Amino acid sequence: MFPPRSILGRHHPIPPVSSERKEPKSKYTADRGIPGAFEGETVTRRRLMTGTVHGLGALAAGAFALPALGFALGPVFKRQKFQWQSIGNVADFNQTDYTPRVITIVSGIGEAGKSTTYVRLRNPSIDTEPEDQYNRVIAISTRCNHLGCPVRFTEAAGKFICPCHGGVYDFRGVREGGPPVRPLDRFYTRIENGQVQVGPRYSVNSNLKRFSPRDPGEPVDGIGQYLYPSRFSTPQK
Amino acid sequence: MPRLKFPAPPIPPAFQPKPKRPGTGNGKVKPADQAAEAGIHVVDWIDERTSLSGGLRWLMFRKVPRGTNWFYTLGSATLFAFLSQAVTGVFLAMFYDPSATHAYESVRYITNEAFLGQFVRGMHRWGSTVMVILVFLHMARTFFFGAYKYPRELNWVIGVVLLILTMTMAFTGYLLPFDQRSYWATIVGVNINGTGPLIGPYLSDFLRAGPEFGALTLSRFYSIHMLLVPGLIAALIGAHLYLVAKLGTTAPPWIEAEEDPAAELHKAEV
């Protein structure tokens, strides 16, 4: 208990509670559902302060969350660069058999960034797709189009065979059996001063029509080309 | 300062303080008693400022239904598997180097040269399998005992999220040794993600940080494996445990409900 007020030396009578201290109800504010607002006021001070504090909090959270999100998503939108790499003389390759070559897909990460490609010269009697400057040499990617295991060219059968789930591709890389959804990918090639050079990857449909590179398991025939659209990371020619 | 008084807790008798019988001791305070008193004093000091003891009592001294059996320990077993993974993982991270050129070498160093390295890595490697198995056994227990029903549906939902996060941990952790198996398993796993229509191609680019398995893939998996998902799992385990303590556990389905004596009486009267 506090000591009596008289002991404190000063006497403050408690003012009687006046009914006038209660703010008269305003038909305007009551109607608008904003209790305590002055007449004509659309936003009370309390509401303004609450909103400001919430807004500042959201701003502060966004200031670190959005850059972090961008950081994580950034690589999806980054266009890749590529380099033409020489893999040998035109004379090193022939029309009837594949010659394996190791190329660098991603540089700077050692063995993990390398991959094998099977290379041969274009053979007009079996290669029915239209000829242009990029397919005078045919470089087949060894990435199986089921789920990405490395295929091998088996000479006895003349086919590409995947060790994981038994995908089989014919001599041109077109799917013959097993779970793969499209032919083996290829690389753009060109001949510069007698040297064969390998460029970026492209995918093909079952008629060997070119598409931008897709991941394994993504068909590009029919509706597949729309269900698995081209990616932002596709390098520009 | 007055000591805080809590309502009488349901503390088992063994834990309740017993006053000394009059006449025992000769008035001298033994060092052991002094040490005990000091410990109690420290705990009291903390409790007076935090009121943690009430929450601990609420969490630990719960009533459990009749028929509670060993199957009810599967959740705790999973929790301890997670704690084991967390502790061994923290210490593995002291030696591990998440770069494509050095990862395999650092794991080889842990396994073959670091003191107890083979043991700690083995704990983490086998512990991950144990944790996945325990999660499924715990889930099966909950399902077959009907413990997912009202009012525990939310806890089932949280549990399913924890299952998915555990699988994410298993998937991302599988890459880290960076041997042939890790590498190809991750290639296949990411490509499976890529087969989702419309967003699949972007999802696999996101997981790899690019169109091909590259320098950023390993560090990305490492960050998800040791920072992002463990934090989420720890937080959700907290929510899971809170709901277990709040809602209580269920009796096994073969325990029949006891007749309410008052209802019996009422029936007899009618």
Side-chain angles (χ1 to χ4, degrees):
Chain A
M1 284 299 287
F2 287 106
R5 286 169 187 282
S6 55
I7 295 178
L8 293 174
R10 287 194 299 173
H11 185 65
H12 294 288
I14 300 168
V17 177
S18 157
S19 59
E20 288 171 12
R21 287 182 65 196
K22 287 186 180 171
E23 285 185 23
K25 278 188 178 173
S26 157
K27 58 181 179 182
Y28 304 106
T29 59
D31 285 349
R32 290 202 311 271
I34 312 177
F38 293 111
E39 284 193 26
E41 213 174 19
T42 52
V43 179
T44 60
R45 287 173 219 191
R46 177 184 293 251
R47 238 188 210 192
L48 179 72
M49 288 305 290
T50 311
T52 309
V53 169
H54 285 180
L56 285 176
L59 195 69
F64 62 79
L66 290 179
L69 196 67
F71 208 64
L73 292 178
V76 176
F77 300 99
K78 192 181 175 196
R79 192 176 290 285
Q80 295 295 306
K81 294 194 176 78
F82 73 93
Q83 279 187 322
W84 292 94
Q85 19 185 333
S86 294
I87 54 168
N89 286 314
V90 180
D92 295 346
F93 307 105
N94 60 62
Q95 289 189 339
T96 53
D97 199 10
Y98 281 104
T99 311
R101 283 286 185 271
V102 175
I103 58 168
T104 302
I105 303 282
V106 179
S107 56
I109 59 168
E111 292 285 308
K114 295 197 164 112
S115 181
T116 309
T117 173
Y118 284 102
V119 186
R120 66 176 166 86
L121 300 182
R122 180 184 161 84
N123 183 350
S125 61
I126 55 169
D127 293 315
T128 50
E129 73 273 15
E131 181 177 2
D132 62 14
Q133 54 171 325
Y134 296 120
N135 65 359
R136 278 177 284 171
V137 177
I138 288 171
I140 305 263
S141 161
T142 50
R143 194 179 69 175
C144 178
N145 274 327
H146 174 217
L147 289 171
C149 288
V151 299
R152 277 184 72 118
F153 181 67
T154 309
E155 277 185 47
K159 296 181 197 310
F160 295 91
I161 297 173
C162 181
C164 289
H165 309 105
V168 179
Y169 306 84
D170 70 8
F171 188 75
R172 298 193 303 160
V174 176
R175 189 196 83 107
E176 255 188 9
V181 294
R182 62 170 200 261
L184 287 170
D185 288 350
R186 298 176 171 207
F187 295 99
Y188 286 99
T189 56
R190 68 182 188 190
I191 298 171
E192 293 274 304
N193 305 326
Q195 287 279 312
V196 177
Q197 294 187 328
V198 169
R201 170 195 297 279
Y202 64 90
S203 296
V204 292
N205 69 4
S206 42
N207 299 322
L208 298 180
K209 183 173 175 256
R210 282 185 193 137
F211 285 86
S212 65
R214 308 297 212 273
D215 273 337
E218 303 174 359
V220 287
D221 284 314
I223 196 176
Q225 58 186 301
Y226 307 110
L227 287 180
Y228 302 101
S230 184
R231 292 169 293 171
F232 304 108
S233 54
T234 305
Q236 237 167 0
K237 268 192 271 185
Chain B
M1 199 180 259
R3 290 202 161 183
L4 290 175
K5 286 270 193 295
F6 289 105
I11 290 184
F15 286 98
Q16 283 174 11
K18 288 184 205 70
K20 273 185 182 162
R21 294 181 70 81
T24 54
N26 49 7
K28 272 189 176 178
V29 185
K30 288 179 202 161
D33 291 338
Q34 271 183 321
E37 187 63 32
I40 290 169
H41 194 81
V42 170
V43 172
D44 271 346
W45 190 91
I46 294 170
D47 192 39
E48 206 167 302
R49 283 153 185 82
T50 59
S51 301
L52 273 177
S53 65
L56 278 177
R57 240 175 263 156
W58 174 81
L59 184 70
M60 292 168 73
F61 302 117
R62 282 175 286 127
K63 288 200 164 79
V64 294
R66 213 153 51 87
T68 297
N69 55 51
W70 281 100
F71 287 113
Y72 287 73
T73 59
L74 286 167
S76 307
T78 315
L79 172 66
F80 277 89
F82 173 71
L83 291 179
S84 161
Q85 293 302 94
V87 171
T88 52
V90 164
F91 287 97
L92 285 171
M94 293 179 178
F95 290 91
Y96 180 70
D97 179 358
S99 74
T101 44
H102 293 106
Y104 180 76
E105 181 55 30
S106 67
V107 172
R108 197 201 56 75
Y109 178 83
I110 291 171
T111 314
N112 296 340
E113 288 169 45
F115 176 64
L116 285 181
Q118 195 175 18
F119 179 73
V120 174
R121 189 184 159 211
M123 287 281 286
H124 199 74
R125 187 226 183 288
W126 292 104
S128 66
T129 308
V130 169
M131 184 171 166
V132 171
I133 292 171
L134 283 173
V135 163
F136 275 110
L137 289 177
H138 177 53
M139 194 179 188
R141 201 286 296 174
T142 309
F143 180 75
F144 287 118
F145 283 26
Y148 57 87
K149 293 176 189 173
Y150 176 86
R152 299 182 180 80
E153 302 98 320
L154 182 61
N155 225 10
W156 175 269
V157 171
I158 294 175
V160 169
V161 177
L162 279 168
L163 168 69
I164 293 167
L165 289 175
T166 306
M167 300 311 252
T168 310
M169 288 298 275
F171 177 59
T172 50
Y174 206 78
L175 173 66
L176 302 186
F178 213 59
D179 49 18
Q180 286 288 332
R181 175 158 44 179
S182 305
Y183 177 82
W184 290 109
T186 302
I187 295 272
V188 167
V190 170
N191 285 331
I192 290 173
N193 278 283
T195 57
L198 299 178
I199 60 160
Y202 308 106
L203 184 61
S204 55
D205 268 18
F206 167 74
L207 286 172
R208 276 185 308 239
E212 300 282 352
F213 190 103
L216 295 175
T217 314
L218 188 56
S219 50
R220 176 165 288 233
F221 271 53
Y222 182 61
S223 165
I224 293 172
H225 183 77
M226 77 164 281
L227 296 170
L228 183 65
V229 180
L232 288 174
I233 289 185
L236 284 176
I237 284 178
H240 205 63
L241 279 179
Y242 167 75
L243 283 181
V244 167
K246 177 168 171 50
L247 302 170
T249 51
T250 50
W254 55 80
I255 298 287
E256 283 178 24
E258 279 177 42
E259 292 281 347
D260 184 2
E264 280 298 285
L265 203 63
H266 183 70
K267 219 185 283 176
E269 278 171 8
V270 171

